[in-house]
Amino acid sequence: MEKTWTQEFRYGLKRGLPIALGYVPVSFTFGLMAVSGGIPIWMAIFISLSNLTSAGQFAGTNLVIMGAGFFEITLTTFIINIRYMLMSLSLTQRLDKSMSLTKRLLVGYGVTDEIFSVASMEQGILTFPYLSGLIIGPVIGWTTGTALGAIISAALPDNLNNAMGIALYGMFIAIVLPVARKSKPVTIIVAISVAVVCILRYVPIFQMISSGFRVIIATIIGAGIGAILFPITDDKIPCEESSPGHDITPSQGKEEG
Amino acid sequence: MNLTYAIIAVILMAIVTYIPRVLPIVIFRKEIKSKYIKSFLRYVPYAVLGALTFPDIFYSTKNIVTALCGTIVALILAYRGKSLVVVATAAIFTVYITGLFL
């Protein structure tokens, strides 16, 4: 029995609603951060709408605030977002085969960790109306949260704005630590990565390496050693659990149909 | 802030965010077979976030002591599995409060 366009779309909307609500506080923090760093309100909203990602746009915006070079900003953002290839690859196995190029280009925009997770949990083929419905709510949630945070930031006192500087890092810790706690490979990878970035930062001969490249080098070494020491065979990070609302955790990357 | 610079940077960011998402959907029909590449991609977010957080978190506020207090609070709450928003808010609050006494 074929579902109609509207039925599929509405079902997608319904499934996307919890993601949309979960995005608001996170993007709110992004809006606060961006504006307290000197980004205009409209641009913070534009960043959220055009990037629709957490770690990538947080890191990229941080580099913009620091006045980093284009190559560094682009490469850092790209490295962080490379993981989406894996999710999109997995989605291709489930997409409606007859989906047109234009529709594929639109669907690609909405591949976030959460949207991917929800979509990959569905049974059967993923249609365009379903995916549109699923994507549209989170996009609205993400941009609305950013707008609210950006507007409120302008009204905050200075010392509170300074304290906001730690928000992003606090979120990063909240994403990584629960996984690291349960997964020894992740703990080791994070430790290697942090060790490398510290060496590059504090050892004088590496002083000419900029902050963005430090992160890239540390990531490649950390994840690279991790992949060699702890290759994932069953498509799941050892001991990883799903963590709803944690945007970066590539949880539930299961391929089963 | 130079607006032209920021706009170009944001557009570049958007492009390199979009490409990894859309490319497989448009081009690939097969799955990555190498378990090493798959594992590498899977571990990337954690390595990135680790490298982004430390040691920069200690310089994220006007004072290294307030940042240290905020970090400790964030670590404890995150270890207990609190949500992103709770951890971030508690860290901000800690920095703000300790900042009042320094």
Side-chain angles (χ1 to χ4, degrees):
Chain A
M1 210 168 61
E2 287 281 294
K3 279 187 185 166
T4 66
W5 210 102
T6 326
Q7 277 174 327
E8 286 271 342
F9 181 76
R10 286 180 64 169
Y11 176 67
L13 271 183
K14 209 175 109 193
R15 301 283 284 166
L17 191 64
I19 306 176
L21 294 175
Y23 277 179
V24 172
V26 182
S27 57
F28 182 89
T29 318
F30 172 76
L32 280 177
M33 267 259 321
V35 170
S36 66
I39 303 270
I41 294 174
W42 65 268
M43 194 180 288
I45 299 166
F46 175 62
I47 294 172
S48 281
L49 188 62
S50 61
N51 282 249
L52 193 72
T53 183
S54 59
Q57 83 181 50
F58 273 110
T61 307
N62 230 17
L63 288 171
V64 172
I65 291 168
M66 285 156 54
F70 290 133
F71 184 62
E72 191 179 331
I73 295 170
T74 310
L75 194 60
T76 307
T77 316
F78 180 66
I79 291 271
I80 294 172
N81 291 325
I82 266 180
R83 72 183 190 284
Y84 287 128
M85 286 190 104
L86 201 70
M87 298 180 201
S88 284
L89 263 180
S90 150
L91 281 183
T92 57
Q93 319 292 313
R94 307 275 311 281
L95 282 189
D96 183 356
K97 291 272 180 277
S98 63
M99 199 182 287
S100 70
L101 179 64
T102 320
K103 286 175 179 173
R104 282 171 187 263
L105 290 172
L106 288 171
V107 165
Y109 161 73
V111 181
T112 70
D113 301 289
E114 287 73 19
I115 292 169
F116 164 75
S117 299
V118 170
S120 57
M121 290 297 132
E122 301 292 349
Q123 302 290 319
I125 285 168
L126 301 170
T127 64
F128 181 71
Y130 163 74
L131 288 167
S132 324
L134 182 65
I135 289 165
I136 211 161
V139 171
I140 294 170
W142 190 245
T143 41
T144 310
T146 305
L148 290 174
I151 291 161
I152 284 168
S153 174
L156 286 178
D158 240 21
N159 49 354
L160 197 53
N161 255 334
N162 287 337
M164 290 296 170
I166 204 168
L168 162 71
Y169 301 104
M171 287 188 348
F172 288 170
I173 288 175
I175 291 162
V176 172
L177 201 56
V179 183
R181 189 184 158 188
K182 296 191 187 90
S183 165
K184 202 175 150 205
V186 170
T187 308
I188 292 167
I189 288 157
V190 171
I192 293 170
S193 170
V194 171
V196 171
V197 94
C198 286
I199 290 168
L200 296 179
R201 181 173 185 136
Y202 297 116
V203 175
I205 39 166
F206 298 120
Q207 291 288 294
M208 74 291 181
I209 300 172
S210 61
S211 63
F213 285 111
R214 285 200 294 259
V215 171
I216 291 162
I217 294 166
T219 301
I220 292 171
I221 294 175
I225 293 175
I228 293 164
L229 292 181
F230 317 106
I232 300 167
T233 44
D234 60 352
D235 225 31
K236 219 179 150 190
I237 286 179
C239 309
E240 188 185 48
E241 281 182 7
S242 68
S243 44
H246 289 199
D247 191 34
I248 291 127
T249 313
S251 54
Q252 300 152 3
K254 292 167 192 157
E255 242 89 33
E256 75 258 26
Chain B
M1 172 155 309
N2 181 336
L3 219 53
T4 319
Y5 157 78
I7 290 171
I8 294 171
V10 169
I11 291 171
L12 288 171
M13 280 159 58
I15 293 170
V16 293
T17 308
Y18 184 58
I19 287 173
R21 288 172 164 169
V22 84
L23 217 57
I25 290 184
V26 171
I27 295 170
F28 297 111
R29 301 292 159 115
K30 285 181 183 170
E31 208 191 319
I32 291 177
K33 286 285 189 285
S34 163
K35 68 176 174 184
Y36 295 106
I37 296 174
K38 282 172 91 161
S39 308
F40 176 79
L41 293 175
R42 193 52 72 80
Y43 287 136
V44 157
Y46 302 103
V48 169
L49 292 176
L52 282 174
T53 306
F54 296 99
D56 287 14
I57 189 170
F58 304 123
Y59 310 111
S60 67
T61 67
K62 284 277 154 77
N63 183 311
I64 199 161
V65 178
T66 63
L68 201 64
C69 295
T71 308
I72 292 166
V73 168
L75 285 171
I76 293 169
L77 292 177
Y79 190 80
R80 292 185 178 173
K82 302 291 178 204
S83 75
L84 298 188
V85 186
V86 171
V87 174
T89 314
I92 294 168
F93 193 69
T94 309
V95 170
Y96 181 68
I97 297 295
T98 49
L100 296 177
F101 297 101
L102 290 167

